[in-house]
Amino acid sequence: MQLGVCYYPEQWPQDWWADDAARMVALGIRYVRIAEFAWSRIEPEAGRFEWAWLDQAVDTLHAAGLKVVLCTPTATPPKWLVDADPAMLAVDAGGQARGFGSRRHYCFSSPTYRAQSARISEAVARRYGQHPGVVAWQTDNEYGCHNTVLSYSAAARQAFREWLAQQYATVEALNSAWGNVFWSQEYRRFAEIDPPVGTVTEANPAHRLDYRRFASSEVVAFNRIQTDLIRQHSPGRDVTHNFMGFFTEFDHHDVSADLDVATWDSYPLGFTQDFFLSAEDKRRYARTGHPDIPSFHHDLYRGMCQGGRWWVMEQQPGPVNWAQWNPAPLDGMVRLWTWQAFAHGAEVVCYFRWRQAPFAQEQMHAGLNRPDRSLDQGGMEAAQVAQELRALGPVVSDAIVAARASAATAGRVALVLDYPSLWMAQIQPQGADFNPLEISFQAYSALRQLGLDVDIVSSRAELAGYALVVLPAHLREDSALALRLEASKAQVVFGPRAGSKNQAMAFAEGLPPGAFAKLAGLRVQRVASLPPGLEDSVRWPDGSTTANSRWREDVQALGAEAVAHFADGKPALLRHGRSWYSAGWPDEAGWKQLFTLAASEAGLQTHSLPADVRSTRLGEWLFVQNFSSSTVEFSPSNHAQCLLGARALAPQGLAIWKLSASA
Ligand code: GAL
């Protein structure tokens, strides 16, 4: 459990660097990430390298005792490069090349940009790969940020045709899989196929899905060029990439297969404002962030790399600049977010950024320090966490780290998140508000409100140890997963639309849920999306009712029995042995009812936590976090020992408990 910071020496006078480094160390910071946007300073003109400043920066940070995370600077190709090769630019759906003057303007498919990216990455890796201060590498910066995965350049079109030829071998096979007989969409050659944009009405969903799969594989290939070069020139150092929140444009599991550590950038207030929460929740959580937004991603990114290794690479330190509204976190939130990340197993939490730059696009975005070098609120809270880590002492923190490494699955819930399934629902939502990420998040949040600990895993993950597996939005026909679920002993919860589409975005074999039908004991005869205001009530065995909105299915039971019913008496939740199938989009209370039943069958204990309080268990350690605006009383058991905080938790408060062996 260590702290780090993102630092931009190129943005500050050289004679501040040593003082900055000394102050970082004094604050308790151990890691510093640098240089991800520094290409124009490293190579101001083609082939002319200016290493002196970066040598000095790395040496200064190292001399102060900091561990350097060095980045490849490929997220910001400089002007001279763009001018020399305008074909490297990404092209948007309207055919417009994305211009120079911000960042991420490159196309992942450009062969010339891939060569340039390899050239600059190799140059940096060669120069610093063996430097004793460099402990880790970050490739590029936030692949896909500002919606930059999908490009419609000539290079992308060509690469797409080649990718299709590889996937289908013959154009006849493609025509058949895509159903191109419909509307005379048949092709004679792969060379006739364009990206799915510019069509009169929607392009064939199969075409669109393949474009998403293709584009994702381009990100994987682009990243792999860099990871291979870094490993060659800097063996033994961790290689990472900093992923984003609520971002689904490429398959993060596939990119992570080439990384040692997954890292992600956590901006709880920005995400609360910019994503799918209700207006009421945006207000309620404006200054704390929704309690489950950070942990949803912590639990997701912990499932990416071998051994569950992950960090927060950028932690919001104060107001950001990029959301629709940018409130300030309540005092105490930066500390609470940091501890929340450690509670979910983060090795390192790095704050974005050391100092607020008073110029350019992000001048309104806070740092740990203000532009005049004075310490801001976020900096004070980082110092407090560092102090608390010291007070806990190495024995306790080593034990917490060991609990994290043991990766036990018993007592935890697996929630499967499958990127291709998300793309399927995004391409064909069928109802304007059917957002597969949102239903996944809502299911996750309900589990967390019941005090359950969740591992968010890929559909390829080992599931054997879990007592409860939840698939909120697994649209993709997945017979391999179905077999593994059948062979497991877990209670399995399916969200609506499970298993409904095959790889080519057509109906899966038979009616939905396709390959999951055997386990679920039912088939779906009709689906309907529900406009806002058109809701069903759902009646539960205990007589209570919850609401169903957005989506509803008419299901024929083939062995399954109805547990809860819509108002017209048709089944809303069906149970078949270990399987639970939701024939609609439950509200929060509905999810909780469902998970309480399934968890009890799974032998998992649920708790009714106070509103906006979360508990996170890591081995014998329990972290209690208060996101609410009132003081709450919470203690796990009489025998637990409180190591930080207290039974009474003030707003934004945190407690760490050591549970007794019997807990
Ligand atoms: C991230 C990005 C950083 C910075 C930050 C601002 O998305 O990686 O470079 O822009 O957001 O919040």
Side-chain angles (χ1 to χ4, degrees), residues 345-369:
E347 293 181 8
V348 180
V349 176
C350 287
Y351 300 97
F352 180 88
R353 49 195 164 160
W354 175 243
R355 185 185 298 110
Q356 179 169 5
F359 44 76
Q361 279 91 332
E362 292 180 346
Q363 54 185 274
M364 303 299 285
H365 189 303
L368 295 185
N369 292 275

Side-chain angles (χ1 to χ4, degrees), residues 600-621:
S600 141
E601 290 295 319
L604 298 174
Q605 216 187 335
T606 53
H607 305 274
S608 232
L609 291 169
D612 297 331
V613 171
R614 295 294 183 270
S615 73
T616 308
R617 186 166 174 173
L618 202 60
E620 58 186 342
W621 311 92

Side-chain angles (χ1 to χ4, degrees), residues 36-274:
E36 77 275 21
F37 301 128
W39 195 338
S40 72
R41 288 295 172 94
I42 294 171
E43 190 185 17
E45 283 178 86
R48 180 164 70 78
F49 287 91
E50 296 275 0
W51 294 115
W53 74 270
L54 191 51
D55 291 354
Q56 159 106 35
V58 174
D59 288 344
T60 304
L61 297 166
H62 174 52
L66 292 157
K67 299 175 180 183
V68 176
V69 181
L70 201 55
C71 306
T72 60
T74 46
T76 47
K79 179 71 170 138
W80 59 259
L81 179 54
V82 175
D83 286 349
D85 178 24
M88 59 153 279
L89 293 171
V91 173
D92 70 19
Q96 173 78 40
R98 306 193 92 161
F100 180 82
S102 66
R103 61 179 172 181
R104 299 219 59 80
H105 32 289
Y106 69 83
C107 173
F108 282 98
S109 300
S110 159
T112 50
Y113 190 63
R114 282 195 188 182
Q116 291 290 343
S117 138
R119 189 183 61 82
I120 190 71
S121 300
E122 182 160 27
V124 179
R126 242 183 222 288
R127 184 149 191 107
Y128 301 104
Q130 307 290 338
H131 193 290
V134 173
V135 300
W137 291 85
Q138 173 186 300
T139 57
D140 201 282
N141 188 78
E142 289 192 344
Y143 289 136
C145 185
H146 318 301
N147 295 324
T148 47
V149 168
L150 296 173
S151 163
Y152 305 97
S153 67
R157 183 178 58 210
Q158 181 53 31
F160 180 49
R161 291 170 178 170
E162 288 162 17
W163 184 89
L164 289 171
Q166 261 191 358
Q167 299 290 312
Y168 292 97
T170 69
V171 80
E172 291 75 22
L174 176 145
N175 281 326
S176 155
W178 286 13
N180 281 341
V181 61
F182 190 77
W183 288 354
S184 270
Q185 295 176 93
E186 284 158 311
Y187 296 101
R188 294 162 304 162
R189 285 177 288 281
F190 287 110
E192 292 178 341
I193 306 175
D194 288 325
V197 283
T199 51
V200 172
T201 181
E202 62 173 318
N204 187 335
H207 189 175
R208 293 173 65 195
L209 179 64
D210 271 345
Y211 207 71
R212 302 285 298 264
R213 293 170 63 211
F214 153 75
S216 179
S217 72
E218 293 292 86
V219 178
V220 174
F222 183 91
N223 182 64
R224 188 173 298 151
I225 294 171
Q226 296 197 7
T227 56
D228 284 352
L229 285 166
I230 292 167
R231 292 215 163 87
Q232 186 186 334
H233 295 289
S234 193
R237 271 80 168 175
D238 287 330
V239 183
T240 188
H241 174 76
N242 58 333
F243 297 115
M244 287 188 288
F246 289 138
F247 189 77
T248 60
E249 275 193 12
F250 60 88
D251 191 322
H252 292 48
H253 292 114
D254 288 348
V255 170
S256 296
D258 293 315
L259 305 175
D260 301 300
V261 183
T263 61
W264 84 282
D265 297 344
S266 180
Y267 293 95
L269 300 196
F271 297 148
T272 293
Q273 288 307 316
D274 276 7

Side-chain angles (χ1 to χ4, degrees), residues 315-644:
Q315 172 61 62
Q316 175 164 359
V320 302
N321 65 302
W322 46 262
Q324 286 198 63
W325 284 273
N326 299 291
L330 288 173
D331 288 357
M333 282 316 301
V334 172
R335 165 183 179 254
L336 185 59
W337 290 327
T338 309
W339 274 112
Q340 187 185 19
F342 289 139
H344 287 256
E347 293 181 8
V348 180
V349 176
C350 287
Y351 300 97
F352 180 88
R353 49 195 164 160
W354 175 243
R355 185 185 298 110
Q356 179 169 5
F359 44 76
Q361 279 91 332
E362 292 180 346
Q363 54 185 274
M364 303 299 285
H365 189 303
L368 295 185
N369 292 275
R370 302 186 188 89
D372 71 351
R373 302 167 87 174
S374 60
L375 198 62
D376 206 340
Q377 177 66 24
M380 292 180 221
E381 293 184 27
Q384 184 183 346
V385 176
Q387 161 58 33
E388 287 164 342
L389 283 167
R390 273 194 300 274
L392 273 184
V395 175
V396 173
S397 31
D398 287 356
I400 294 175
V401 170
R404 176 185 67 204
S406 80
T409 51
R412 306 179 68 85
V413 178
L415 185 148
V416 179
L417 193 108
D418 178 63
Y419 288 88
S421 290
L422 301 177
W423 304 335
M424 288 172 169
Q426 289 162 352
I427 287 168
Q428 202 174 59
Q430 181 71 1
D433 52 8
F434 194 102
N435 179 339
L437 194 58
E438 184 176 359
I439 198 170
S440 305
F441 177 75
Q442 289 182 358
Y444 172 85
S445 180
L447 290 162
R448 295 289 299 136
Q449 290 176 51
L450 293 170
L452 293 164
D453 290 299
V454 183
D455 292 335
I456 302 183
V457 300
S458 96
S459 54
R460 301 187 290 261
E462 178 55 69
L463 296 172
Y466 293 102
L468 175 58
V469 179
V470 180
L471 297 88
H474 198 90
L475 273 72
R476 185 168 63 85
E477 178 182 46
D478 194 341
S479 35
L481 177 59
L483 288 176
R484 273 158 49 234
L485 290 171
E486 283 164 26
S488 81
K489 297 194 171 51
Q491 299 290 313
V492 180
V493 174
F494 293 106
R497 305 180 78 173
S500 56
K501 301 286 165 180
N502 73 12
Q503 308 284 345
M505 196 73 200
F507 268 46
E509 191 62 27
L511 291 176
F516 298 131
K518 187 169 159 212
L519 197 56
L522 55 87
R523 67 180 181 160
V524 177
Q525 295 185 311
R526 177 153 74 172
V527 304
S529 54
L530 310 175
L534 194 63
E535 284 192 348
D536 276 308
S537 69
V538 175
R539 190 162 201 87
W540 293 82
D542 64 3
S544 63
T545 55
T546 59
N548 183 78
S549 62
R550 303 192 201 200
W551 190 264
R552 170 178 171 164
E553 299 178 348
D554 284 352
V555 170
Q556 181 189 25
L558 300 171
E561 56 177 295
V563 176
H565 297 86
F566 292 120
D568 62 7
K570 291 189 176 165
L573 173 69
L574 295 99
R575 180 176 179 190
H576 182 236
R578 292 182 290 107
S579 157
W580 307 76
Y581 185 94
S582 171
W585 182 302
D587 64 359
E588 187 179 291
W591 278 121
K592 285 191 191 163
Q593 286 269 20
L594 162 50
F595 290 140
T596 305
L597 293 171
S600 141
E601 290 295 319
L604 298 174
Q605 216 187 335
T606 53
H607 305 274
S608 232
L609 291 169
D612 297 331
V613 171
R614 295 294 183 270
S615 73
T616 308
R617 186 166 174 173
L618 202 60
E620 58 186 342
W621 311 92
L622 190 81
F623 297 74
V624 188
Q625 307 130 52
N626 184 6
F627 289 84
S628 80
S629 52
S630 28
T631 297
V632 292
E633 299 273 327
F634 185 98
S635 59
S637 80
N638 292 338
H639 307 293
Q641 182 196 351
C642 190
L643 299 177
L644 183 71

